Amino acid sequence: ETARCGRPRRPRRPGTPWSAVVAVAAASRTKRRPVLRGDVSPIREVPAHIPRPPYLAAGQPRAPMDGLPVHEFYSGPDPTQEERFHIEVKETEQIQGMRVACQLARQTLEVAGRAVTPGVTTDEIDRRAHDFIVANGAYPSPLEYCGFPKAVCTSVNEVVGHGIPDSRPLEDGDFLNIDVTVYLNGYHGDTSCMFFAGRPKKRASALCKATRQAMLAGIKVCGP
């Protein structure tokens, strides 16, 4: 048989309904399987001499609304407008401390990114990031924050964010966000980036390009 556009139709066995042929064709066009949760390995240790973030201290107060750790600028469940829009102006020493922490976060991100390839698990990516962070005297900020069990977040494909590294191997065409935060000398450095495992799909590449452009547009307007 010939379709109206002049291209030959997919052959079918005698007696096979067209609905079955369409279903098979649709299945063959599926880009990838949904991401399923793998096994999460035990929490990796951090040497005792490395300082922990304040929110891991025993007896740390929690916000009544969401149970998250309370920071020093928390103004209660009903803050005034002045309290709501309070912005701390950092001093030169604080800014320098943040820069050093952010530099380490960026270096960690590069270490993690170099591990991205089909067949590698996100747990292995986490291990490399964890080892690099503690080797540089820092603490991986996400680790044990509200029970989070890993050093970095790895969000694969349709996982929106803060994915937990596990035993699932990356597949060719996967794309993922690796989110790194380190705690060094009293300051957090935070960064993230998208990575492709193998050859990216066109839609994934277009999505990453568009979101990067949006991010740069936002950064451009930041400042005093």
Side-chain angles (χ1 to χ4, degrees):
E1 300 180 36
T2 302
R4 282 179 293 178
C5 64
R7 292 178 296 184
R9 281 179 173 171
R10 180 185 295 272
R12 64 187 174 110
R13 294 179 180 178
T16 302
W18 277 114
S19 59
V21 174
V22 171
V24 172
S28 68
R29 290 195 298 269
T30 301
K31 299 296 183 180
R32 59 174 66 87
R33 295 170 296 175
V35 174
L36 300 178
R37 184 175 61 183
D39 296 326
V40 178
S41 62
I43 292 178
R44 296 183 172 90
E45 295 184 0
V46 177
H49 70 273
I50 294 179
R52 270 60 172 167
Y55 49 75
L56 295 182
Q60 174 72 18
R62 302 275 174 166
M65 295 182 64
D66 52 24
L68 295 177
V70 174
H71 56 75
E72 58 183 300
F73 295 107
Y74 178 71
S75 303
D78 298 306
T80 64
Q81 184 169 347
E82 181 179 355
E83 291 172 334
R84 187 187 301 274
F85 295 100
H86 173 77
I87 299 176
E88 180 191 16
V89 178
K90 304 292 185 183
E91 299 178 354
T92 302
E93 182 179 351
Q94 292 175 306
I95 293 173
Q96 180 58 28
M98 293 167 63
R99 287 187 187 279
V100 173
C102 288
Q103 288 170 355
L104 178 58
R106 176 62 189 184
Q107 293 168 356
T108 304
L109 186 64
E110 293 174 355
V111 168
R114 286 195 290 269
V116 175
T117 191
V120 171
T121 66
T122 50
D123 185 68
E124 172 62 16
I125 294 172
D126 176 82
R127 184 192 66 79
R128 298 189 189 189
H130 180 104
D131 291 349
F132 184 79
I133 292 170
V134 300
N136 282 274
Y139 186 91
S141 302
L143 187 62
E144 298 189 270
Y145 177 80
C146 294
F148 193 84
K150 293 298 172 183
V152 299
C153 303
T154 54
S155 305
V156 183
N157 298 342
E158 71 271 17
V159 178
V160 176
H162 298 157
I164 299 174
D166 59 25
S167 63
R168 177 190 179 274
L170 294 174
E171 299 178 2
D172 185 46
D174 281 350
F175 66 113
L176 71 155
N177 178 268
I178 301 178
D179 190 348
V180 175
T181 311
V182 304
Y183 182 70
L184 180 64
N185 300 326
Y187 297 94
H188 293 280
D190 189 355
T191 185
S192 75
C193 189
M194 300 299 297
F195 296 91
F196 298 111
R199 184 177 181 180
K201 301 294 190 293
K202 290 183 178 180
R203 293 179 64 185
S205 181
L207 174 63
C208 292
K209 181 179 180 180
T211 52
R212 177 173 174 79
Q213 290 173 339
M215 177 191 69
L216 294 176
I219 292 175
K220 189 174 181 181
V221 300
C222 291

